[in-house]
């Protein structure tokens, strides 16, 4: 093979694996940066911050939905899968953003929401104005209601956000919505639905998108007959073994096999990561190369800040991902959970639901040790960034942002709050627009207000306040991500002997990471100190809740 061809082939091979150990930064576009003073972040806002993103040394951004949407569920209710919400920009703005990110060496992942559309999608509107049994209705899951005139729902099932999972349409039929009523579920047994999503995957891939994050990947295939429906109790008691009527059915993988063929039409192949809240032992089917290629595990996100718990999770997930031919994924925060700087400062650290309850009941300040939370967050992140596999970071965690508490009810947006009054506080507290400057309207997010209220004092977390400041969260992320790029080698890890409450491992090339999860100082092994998550106060000693990177 001539040399230039060989070089090209080698580059393509290297490129094809870019995702395996990538640091991926999740952008929630409506809360990132607003360039036209309407209070909503937009795509030109992302483009205007490419230098900032580059300064983080991340490999990719994942954009939560930016498609046209009534925002019944923060954009996860999509009106049109192949367009941009006019409030966020245009397709030209999308192209300009992608170009600028690519020029900065940052890949682009978009969110694809295949389980449901919004009720404003043209297909759903057509379904509503068509008859029972029509082709239009067959793209969604319409069923006859019970009772003489269909006035009762087909089942007593509840939606994830609370309230009934069926909505009547006035002619005796009801449609299924696992989430908000503005999010009707697609019928994936219908080939038209399948073909349309293949078109969408190609549409964005043709525009240069490098990968996809697949929303609710485990719910697409359903088996919902017309008779003998299980009750909600029966449904809840059914095992998730591939035969459940809704969740994680085996047939869902036929869909992803088809998607994989589309991904592989591109060079390098487009990547995908499944958001599949399945039983751990069923993740490999999503993560294998013939499927989506990678799957989230949310195990660390749900773990206590505890050495033994972390070790078990890390060992399990590395082995499992490797057996599937994939690499694993680490996540502490995203747009759906209480931010980890806050979670780690609460008594029931490992239980995101407990954190939500704490928020619900007035976010009692006495229960929160914010300084400890942030310190542990730094330690956990520095450990995460030393692990083999991909690290998924959520915008604002690089600023150490806490969960915003006390958003007035009237300003809340999350359907989980409204549909579940008094039971769920919702996810608005982690979606508050980023502070870029120490003062000014919306702390530099834009020239006017922010669509979710920022608390007074948010400026102390701003990029401006932390930029260049030694010891700031931002500089810790920058240094760690830069070093990670230099040190990252093969996807392997070797545990080193350590005291109880401490985890230590080495990576190829002599990179050692040691984390003290305990509340007492612990001995620090010898080696060249590369980076620590907190200042060291005594020689050869690793303080409580601190991580150090060394070269052995
Ligand atoms: C998971 C997304 O992360 C969440 O934000 C959304 O509400 C649901 N899927 C429904 O699309
Ligand atoms: Ca805007």
């Amino acid at each position: 093979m001539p040399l230039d061809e060989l070089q090209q082939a080698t580059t393509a091979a290297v490129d094809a694996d870019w995702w395996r150990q990538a640091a991926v930064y999740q952008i929630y576009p409506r809360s990132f940066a607003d360039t036209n003073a309407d209070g909503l972040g937009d795509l030109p806002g992302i483009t205007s911050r490419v230098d900032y993103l580059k300064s983080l040394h991340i490999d990719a951004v994942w954009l939560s939905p930016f498609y046209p949407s009534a925002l019944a569920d923060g954009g996860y209710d999509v009106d049109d899968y192949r367009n941009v919400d006019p409030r966020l920009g245009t397709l030209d703005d999308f192209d300009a953003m992608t170009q600028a990110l690519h020029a900065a060496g940052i890949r682009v992942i978009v969110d694809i929401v295949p389980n449901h559309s919004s009720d404003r999608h043209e297909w759903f509107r057509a379904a509503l104005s068509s008859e029972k049994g029509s082709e239009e209705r067959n793209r969604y899951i319409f069923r006859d209601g019970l009772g003489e005139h269909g006035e009762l729902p087909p089942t007593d099932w509840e939606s994830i956000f609370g309230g009934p999972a069926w909505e009547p349409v006035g002619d005796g039929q009801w449609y299924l919505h696992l989430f908000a009523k503005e999010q009707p579920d697609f019928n994936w047994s219908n080939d038209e639905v399948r073909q349309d999503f293949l078109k969408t995957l190609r549409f964005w891939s043709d525009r240069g998108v490098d990968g996809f994050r697949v929303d609710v990947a485990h719910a697409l295939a359903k088996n919902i007959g017309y008779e003998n429906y299980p009750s909600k109790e029966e449904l809840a008691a059914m095992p998730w073994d591939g035969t459940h009527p809704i969740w994680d059915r085996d047939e869902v993988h036929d869909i992803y096999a088809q998607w994989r063929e589309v991904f592989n039409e591109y060079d390098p192949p487009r990547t995908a990561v499944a958001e599949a809240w399945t039983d751990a032992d069923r993740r490999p089917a999503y993560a294998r190369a013939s499927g989506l290629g990678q799957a989230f595990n949310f195990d660390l996100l749900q773990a206590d800040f505890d050495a033994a718990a972390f070790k078990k999770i890390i060992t399990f997930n590395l082995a499992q991902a490797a057996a599937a031919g994939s690499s694993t994924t680490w996540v502490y925060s995203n747009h759906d959970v209480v931010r980890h700087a806050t979670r780690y400062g609460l008594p029931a650290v490992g239980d995101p639901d407990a954190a939500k309850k704490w928020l619900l009941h007035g976010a009692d300040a006495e229960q929160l040790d914010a300084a400890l939370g942030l310190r542990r967050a730094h330690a956990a992140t520095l450990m995460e960034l030393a692990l083999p596999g991909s690290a998924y970071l959520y915008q604002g965690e690089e600023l150490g942002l806490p969960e915003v508490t006390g958003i007035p009810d009237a300003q809340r947006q999350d359907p989980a709050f409204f549909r579940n009054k008094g039971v769920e506080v919702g996810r608005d507290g982690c979606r508050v627009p980023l502070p870029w400057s120490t003062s000014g309207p919306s702390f530099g997010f834009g020239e006017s207000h922010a669509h979710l209220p920022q608390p007074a004092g948010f400026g102390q977390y701003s990029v401006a306040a932390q930029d260049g400041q030694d010891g700031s969260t931002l500089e810790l992320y920058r240094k760690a991500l830069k070093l990670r790029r230099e040190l990252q080698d093969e996807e392997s890890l070797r545990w080193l002997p350590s005291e109880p409450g401490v985890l230590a491992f080495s990576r190829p090339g002599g990179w050692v990471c040691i984390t003290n999860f305990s509340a007492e100082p612990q001995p620090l092994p010898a080696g060249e100190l590369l980076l620590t998550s907190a200042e060291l106060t005594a020689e050869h000693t690793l303080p409580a809740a601190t991580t150090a990177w060394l070269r052995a």
Side-chain angles (χ1 to χ4, degrees), residues 73 76 116 161 179 213 215-216 275 335-336 427 431:
D73 180 20
Y76 285 88
H116 42 263
F161 292 152
F179 294 88
R213 177 264 189 193
D215 190 63
V216 210
E275 187 226 16
H335 64 297
D336 289 332
R427 302 162 292 181
R431 299 176 177 183

Side-chain angles (χ1 to χ4, degrees), residues 33-44 87-88 445:
D34 171 22
T35 54
N36 62 348
D38 64 354
L40 265 192
D42 40 57
L43 298 187
R87 289 168 297 182
L88 270 62
F445 165 67

